[in-house]
Each structure stands twice: as structure tokens, then as C-alpha cells.
């Protein structure tokens, strides 16, 4: 069993920065892709960024050039550095860990952390 705990959310002004962290406890194998998703009120959950154990990354078009995902495999932790934040980035951000070969069987979510971008 894997547990994911997010931290780092909060209120920030437009143009500001935040860094989210997600610490994983339990068995995270080298085949797990880690990712960040977000869900705004009235909208579906969407992928923000993902990173494989080998370091390959994938970003939503809306955050390219502003957000950076990274991971520390030794600490079982994934980070999301968010710069030049916009009001439309406001959402609950969820950490995800998924086995790339058995995604239906091994797919875990954190409890979410609120990010609010407002002046």
C-alpha cells in the first residue's frame, strides 16, 4: 500500500510562486510514474505534469514554461515548482503515483492541497 501526502499549497498573488511537495510512504517501485493533477470547481480533474522514474517529463500545455516537476527517488518525493502563477491555476492539486505497467491495479492519490491565486 502506498500513501501520498501533499504539502505546500496556499494563497499567492498573480505572478507569484509556490512549490508543492508530495511524500510517498510504502512501496514505490522503479516502475512508478509520479504526477500532479488539479481540479478546479465545476471542472474535471486534469493532468498538470508527470515524471517517470527515469526522469522523462510531460506537461499540460497551459503550464509549459511556468511549472517544473522533479522527483527525488531516494526520498520517494515529487515536487512541483509553480512560477508566474495565474488566477486560472487556482485548484485543488493532487499527487498521483501509478505503476506504468499495471496502472489499474497500482494507482494512488493524495488527499489534495488547495492552491489559490488571487490579488
Amino acid at each position: 500500500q502506498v500513501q501520498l501526502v501533499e504539502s505546500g499549497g496556499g494563497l499567492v498573488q498573480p505572478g507569484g510562486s509556490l512549490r508543492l511537495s508530495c511524500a510517498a510512504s510504502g512501496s514505490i517501485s522503479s516502475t512508478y510514474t509520479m504526477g500532479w493533477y488539479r481540479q478546479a470547481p465545476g471542472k474535471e480533474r486534469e493532468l498538470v505534469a508527470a515524471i517517470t522514474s527515469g526522469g522523462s517529463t510531460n506537461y499540460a500545455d497551459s503550464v509549459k514554461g511556468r511549472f517544473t516537476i522533479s522527483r527525488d527517488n531516494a526520498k520517494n518525493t515529487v515536487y512541483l515548482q509553480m512560477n508566474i502563477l495565474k488566477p486560472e491555476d487556482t485548484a485543488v492539486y493532487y499527487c498521483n503515483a501509478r505503476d506504468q505497467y499495471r496502472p489499474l491495479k497500482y494507482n494512488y492519490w493524495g488527499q489534495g492541497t488547495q492552491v489559490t491565486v488571487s490579488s
Side-chain angles (χ1 to χ4, degrees):
Q1 188 70 18
V2 173
Q3 292 185 326
L4 304 174
V5 179
E6 301 105 332
S7 61
L11 173 65
V12 63
Q13 293 186 342
S17 298
L18 280 176
R19 188 193 195 205
L20 305 183
S21 299
C22 172
S25 60
S27 179
I28 296 287
S29 79
S30 61
T31 60
Y32 274 71
T33 293
M34 305 291 292
W36 288 95
Y37 289 71
R38 67 186 180 187
Q39 188 167 18
K43 294 187 177 181
E44 293 187 353
R45 190 172 298 189
E46 63 175 358
L47 174 69
V48 177
I51 184 169
T52 67
S53 59
S56 297
T57 58
N58 181 40
Y59 294 93
D61 288 342
S62 59
V63 307
K64 284 180 180 177
R66 299 188 298 122
F67 291 11
T68 302
I69 189 170
S70 61
R71 66 189 285 173
D72 185 331
N73 290 330
K75 295 182 179 179
N76 282 341
T77 301
V78 62
Y79 307 96
L80 185 67
Q81 178 66 43
M82 305 185 294
N83 299 326
I84 318 175
L85 283 160
K86 304 176 181 180
E88 51 264 41
D89 295 318
T90 296
V92 178
Y93 283 70
Y94 296 91
C95 180
N96 174 260
R98 181 178 304 160
D99 189 302
Q100 66 183 83
Y101 298 113
R102 294 164 291 182
L104 296 181
K105 185 174 183 179
Y106 300 108
N107 184 24
Y108 304 97
W109 294 93
Q111 81 286 353
T113 185
Q114 177 71 46
V115 172
T116 302
V117 185
S118 175
S119 54

